[in-house]
Amino acid sequence: MNRLSLNQWTTRRWSLPQAVDGCARHGIPAIGVWRQQLQECGLARAVKLIADSGLRVSSLCRGGFLTGGEALDDNRRAIDEAAALGAPCLVMVVGGLPGVSPGEPLSPGVSRDLPGARQRVVDAVAELAPYAAERGVRLALEPLHPMYCADRSVLSTLGQALDIAERFPVEQVGVVVDAFHVWWDPQLFSQIARAGARIASYQVCDQLHPLPADVLLGRAMMGDGVIDFRPMTAAVAAAGYTGDIEVEIFNADVWAADPDEVLTTMIERYRRLVI
Amino acid sequence: MNRLSLNQWTTRRWSLPQAVDGCARHGIPAIGVWRQQLQECGLARAVKLIADSGLRVSSLCRGGFLTGGEALDDNRRAIDEAAALGAPCLVMVVGGLPGVSPGEPLSPGVSRDLPGARQRVVDAVAELAPYAAERGVRLALEPLHPMYCADRSVLSTLGQALDIAERFPVEQVGVVVDAFHVWWDPQLFSQIARAGARIASYQVCDQLHPLPADVLLGRAMMGDGVIDFRPMTAAVAAAGYTGDIEVEIFNADVWAADPDEVLTTMIERYRRLVI
């Protein structure tokens, strides 16, 4: 339990104060904060609340959406928030093809230039990394499952994330290993070993089968899907990662359930299936 | 037009005789045959029909589903059929995790051993490749998009398919480059170059956005999705591939449309967007 972190989106109907209280009541020592709930709470109040609770912040979710070319100011604000919270990293979901929006039909002006979008990510990270480093925040590049390549992340594999991260000092830019996004990758274990000290965050949740109509909600409680977590946890540990293990689940049934029951199940599954 | 091939599943409500007739009427010189329609037609009749039409067979779809461990006999029959048809290759969709069925909820006995399933593929290809080679048929390993890893194909990238194919003589085992399945891959162009003479088939269709409720039907007519085909076509040509270019679309609207209209659109889009 000493490395378990509740990513707030798992209990997204809880406000930040409710989630902090929930972690305390269930003995969960860390929390992954989302900017939406942070904004509702207010930054100064959130900082005090978390400090008083004794919880660690494992990450701030999320910055990114860099491929449209207009997000740098908002990412600087996210970095400032991460610094205020003492979050070790800002999780970056880099964005999809310019003009392609999640859930929306394609518009005539959409870009199909995938290499160009990927170059925009490199350029934007180069802009942001020094700003983040000055504030003690590490950018954590998160490869997303290739089914989100068009609309959410042109960063699709751990190897590709490392190719970008390695252009920067290790303390400035790391990567996220999210089981859901990378479990299928034939290079997973070799890339985890390569990642080593670049691993800024390890997130777990399962993949539903069959996928639901909205594939964004294809994430599931560990044990309810197709992923074998233990070998991945062992590989991440062998690579030297000793940080928190966040449980981040986007799932309609989990969101509809009583958050306290979700935490009870999460703790049981984490102990039985993840570590 | 001299390399365009109609994959039969694009006009799946047409019988094989209807599809052969449709190709002739539209000036399409090649056809990718599916075993379902082949069985309905009868092998001997199909062989004569296609020979009389002057059409090339670009592939037989499909063998595979090797991870369950019981498909070898059926694959040998598929190889025999491909040989009788003069198909240059048998497309192999290798199967997902043992016990995970497309569209079905997970059963308690499902396997989550992904490395084990991948090893079964290697073992089964080793069984089948010499049998196919004796009959002049090449096995074409098709990496499928990672969103199908659990239920349809533990072969998820072109690089992974090549890692297996390269264990065998080049004339025995090749790979399929299907734009839909591989467009997102950051290593796509380097792996196409690596593939060279291993490319046994090049298939095109677009990726719908957003994905439909049944992700299997996320394929679309070229131009209706997010894929930029020309750089891929150029890379496949630069790698030395001179074979047919199959259009294979799994899409509810395409299947509901008049197949003759589908062919007219397909030819126009192929000329404008693919070659």
Side-chain angles (χ1 to χ4, degrees):
Chain A
M1 286 283 283
N2 61 342
R3 295 173 61 199
L4 176 59
S5 175
L6 172 68
N7 181 290
Q8 261 200 281
W9 219 245
T10 302
T11 54
R12 65 179 285 194
R13 66 163 128 146
W14 267 352
S15 66
L16 184 56
Q18 286 175 312
V20 167
D21 179 61
C23 287
R25 283 186 291 105
H26 288 266
I28 296 168
I31 186 166
V33 175
W34 273 68
R35 293 185 73 202
Q36 283 85 334
Q37 283 98 336
L38 180 62
Q39 193 166 15
E40 286 164 21
C41 180
L43 182 60
R45 184 176 161 224
V47 168
K48 180 168 189 323
L49 183 77
I50 291 171
D52 290 350
S53 74
L55 278 182
R56 282 191 304 276
V57 176
S58 52
S59 72
L60 178 64
C61 294
R62 55 195 187 178
F65 292 93
L66 306 169
T67 52
E70 292 157 3
L72 292 180
D73 282 346
D74 189 55
N75 275 285
R76 290 190 191 97
R77 280 192 293 276
I79 290 164
D80 293 341
E81 292 165 11
L85 286 169
C89 65
L90 174 65
V91 172
M92 303 290 282
V93 171
V94 301
L97 292 169
V100 178
S101 301
E104 299 288 326
L106 294 177
S107 61
V110 67
S111 165
R112 291 175 178 83
D113 178 12
L114 183 55
R118 287 173 165 161
Q119 186 56 47
R120 283 186 178 204
V121 173
V122 174
D123 296 344
V125 171
E127 282 280 319
L128 294 169
Y131 183 92
E134 285 169 16
R135 285 150 188 83
V137 174
R138 194 181 194 193
L139 302 181
L141 303 179
E142 180 167 18
L144 258 56
H145 193 289
M147 68 185 155
Y148 308 123
C149 183
D151 60 355
R152 286 190 173 85
S153 177
V154 296
L155 202 52
S156 304
T157 65
L158 190 54
Q160 182 195 6
L162 288 168
D163 287 345
I164 299 176
E166 288 170 355
R167 297 165 178 239
F168 304 93
V170 66
E171 69 280 7
Q172 281 188 17
V173 183
V175 297
V176 180
V177 177
D178 182 317
F180 173 88
H181 291 304
V182 300
W183 72 277
W184 58 271
D185 186 349
Q187 298 185 352
L188 177 61
F189 293 99
S190 60
Q191 294 297 334
I192 288 175
R194 171 188 168 196
R198 294 274 171 187
I199 301 175
S201 173
Y202 175 42
Q203 298 184 334
V204 293
C205 84
D206 218 325
Q207 180 182 307
L208 272 186
H209 177 81
L211 288 166
D214 179 354
V215 292
L216 183 65
L217 308 187
R219 301 173 68 112
M221 185 62 74
M222 298 81 76
D224 291 348
V226 296
I227 301 177
D228 186 16
F229 293 96
R230 281 234 178 74
M232 212 182 306
T233 302
V236 166
Y241 182 74
T242 56
D244 294 310
I245 301 176
E246 272 188 26
V247 178
E248 183 190 53
I249 304 174
F250 292 38
N251 178 294
D253 293 333
V254 168
W255 289 341
D258 174 353
D260 274 300
E261 288 178 15
V262 170
L263 263 55
T264 300
T265 304
M266 179 180 99
I267 290 167
E268 188 273 321
R269 299 290 180 89
Y270 173 80
R271 287 178 154 147
R272 183 156 56 86
L273 299 170
V274 177
I275 55 171
Chain B
M1 286 283 284
N2 61 341
R3 295 173 62 200
L4 176 59
S5 175
L6 172 68
N7 182 290
Q8 262 200 280
W9 218 244
T10 301
T11 54
R12 64 179 285 196
R13 65 162 128 146
W14 267 352
S15 66
L16 184 56
Q18 286 176 312
V20 167
D21 179 61
C23 287
R25 283 186 291 106
H26 289 266
I28 296 168
I31 186 166
V33 176
W34 273 68
R35 294 185 73 201
Q36 284 85 334
Q37 283 98 336
L38 181 62
Q39 193 166 16
E40 285 164 23
C41 180
L43 182 60
R45 183 175 162 224
V47 168
K48 181 168 187 326
L49 183 77
I50 291 171
D52 291 349
S53 74
L55 279 181
R56 283 191 303 277
V57 175
S58 51
S59 72
L60 178 65
C61 295
R62 56 195 186 179
F65 293 93
L66 306 169
T67 51
E70 293 156 3
L72 291 181
D73 283 346
D74 189 55
N75 275 286
R76 289 191 192 97
R77 280 192 292 276
I79 290 164
D80 293 341
E81 292 165 10
L85 286 169
C89 65
L90 174 66
V91 173
M92 303 291 282
V93 171
V94 303
L97 292 168
V100 178
S101 302
E104 300 288 326
L106 295 177
S107 61
V110 66
S111 166
R112 291 175 178 83
D113 178 12
L114 183 55
R118 287 172 166 162
Q119 186 57 48
R120 285 186 178 205
V121 173
V122 175
D123 295 344
V125 171
E127 282 281 318
L128 293 170
Y131 183 91
E134 285 169 17
R135 285 150 187 84
V137 174
R138 194 181 194 193
L139 302 181
L141 303 179
E142 180 167 17
L144 259 57
H145 193 291
M147 68 185 154
Y148 307 123
C149 183
D151 59 356
R152 286 188 173 86
S153 176
V154 295
L155 203 52
S156 303
T157 65
L158 189 53
Q160 182 194 7
L162 287 167
D163 286 344
I164 299 176
E166 288 171 355
R167 297 164 177 239
F168 304 94
V170 67
E171 69 279 6
Q172 281 188 16
V173 183
V175 297
V176 180
V177 177
D178 181 317
F180 173 88
H181 291 305
V182 300
W183 73 276
W184 59 270
D185 187 348
Q187 298 185 351
L188 177 60
F189 294 98
S190 60
Q191 294 297 333
I192 287 175
R194 171 188 168 196
R198 293 275 171 186
I199 301 175
S201 173
Y202 175 42
Q203 298 184 334
V204 293
C205 84
D206 217 326
Q207 180 182 307
L208 273 186
H209 176 81
L211 288 166
D214 179 353
V215 292
L216 183 64
L217 308 186
R219 301 172 70 111
M221 185 62 74
M222 299 80 77
D224 290 348
V226 296
I227 301 178
D228 186 16
F229 294 96
R230 279 235 178 73
M232 214 183 304
T233 301
V236 166
Y241 181 74
T242 56
D244 294 311
I245 301 177
E246 272 187 27
V247 178
E248 184 191 52
I249 304 174
F250 292 38
N251 178 295
D253 294 333
V254 169
W255 290 341
D258 175 353
D260 275 300
E261 289 179 15
V262 170
L263 263 55
T264 301
T265 305
M266 180 180 98
I267 290 167
E268 187 273 321
R269 300 289 180 89
Y270 173 79
R271 286 177 155 149
R272 183 155 58 86
L273 299 169
V274 177
I275 55 169

